[in-house]
């Protein structure tokens, strides 16, 4: 083998090593994300139950009466926020079937 062939092999090996590392890292991140997605499903279920609960109706009434603190985060009282999140969860779940 001549020096040019050796140099080309080295460059090819370096390039393939970069691909190997990038793919391994991406798969590690994907697996971690899938694991986390599965782990949060009980929380999603809890949020879904709250969405149609009497407690949420009570919380909405308190909001409408202005009895909740002004600095209280209240995204859960927004129908669109919860509904969009539940839809997104359902759609994303299709990726893992």
């Amino acid at each position: 083998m001549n020096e040019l062939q050796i140099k080309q092999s080295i460059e090819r090996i370096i390039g393939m090593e970069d691909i190997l590392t990038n793919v391994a890292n991406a798969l590690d991140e994907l697996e971690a994300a899938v694991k986390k997605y599965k782990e949060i499903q009980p929380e999603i279920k809890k949020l879904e139950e709250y969405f149609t609960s009497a407690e949420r109706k009570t919380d909405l009434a308190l909001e409408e009466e202005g009895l909740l603190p002004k600095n209280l985060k209240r995204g859960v009282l927004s129908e669109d926020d919860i509904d969009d999140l539940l839809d997104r969860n359902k759609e994303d779940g299709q990726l893992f079937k």
Side-chain angles (χ1 to χ4, degrees), residues 1-95:
M1 282 210 171
N2 64 40
E3 285 186 39
L4 178 60
Q5 289 172 319
I6 294 171
K7 183 179 177 186
Q8 289 171 336
S9 287
I10 292 170
E11 289 174 3
R12 184 173 43 251
I13 291 167
I14 290 170
M16 290 299 117
E17 273 298 315
D18 286 345
I19 291 171
L20 178 67
T21 300
N22 289 339
V23 170
N25 289 340
L27 290 174
D28 288 345
E29 291 172 14
L30 176 62
E31 289 165 2
V34 169
K35 181 180 178 197
K36 185 170 185 173
Y37 173 82
K38 290 178 180 179
E39 289 172 351
I40 64 165
Q41 290 311 298
E43 292 180 37
I44 296 288
K45 181 71 175 161
K46 198 174 193 178
L47 188 61
E48 188 173 27
E49 290 168 357
Y50 173 74
F51 186 56
T52 59
S53 72
E55 285 120 352
R56 183 168 177 273
K57 289 181 176 113
T58 298
D59 297 346
L60 282 168
L62 291 172
E63 165 69 7
E64 289 169 3
E65 293 176 31
L67 298 174
L68 298 176
K70 298 291 180 208
N71 63 346
L72 180 67
K73 287 180 74 173
R74 49 180 48 83
V76 294
L77 299 179
S78 165
E79 189 170 322
D80 289 341
D81 286 353
I82 293 180
D83 198 39
D84 290 348
L85 184 88
L86 294 174
D87 285 346
R88 209 171 125 199
N89 182 65
K90 191 175 187 178
E91 289 171 10
D92 289 348
Q94 298 298 314
L95 296 172

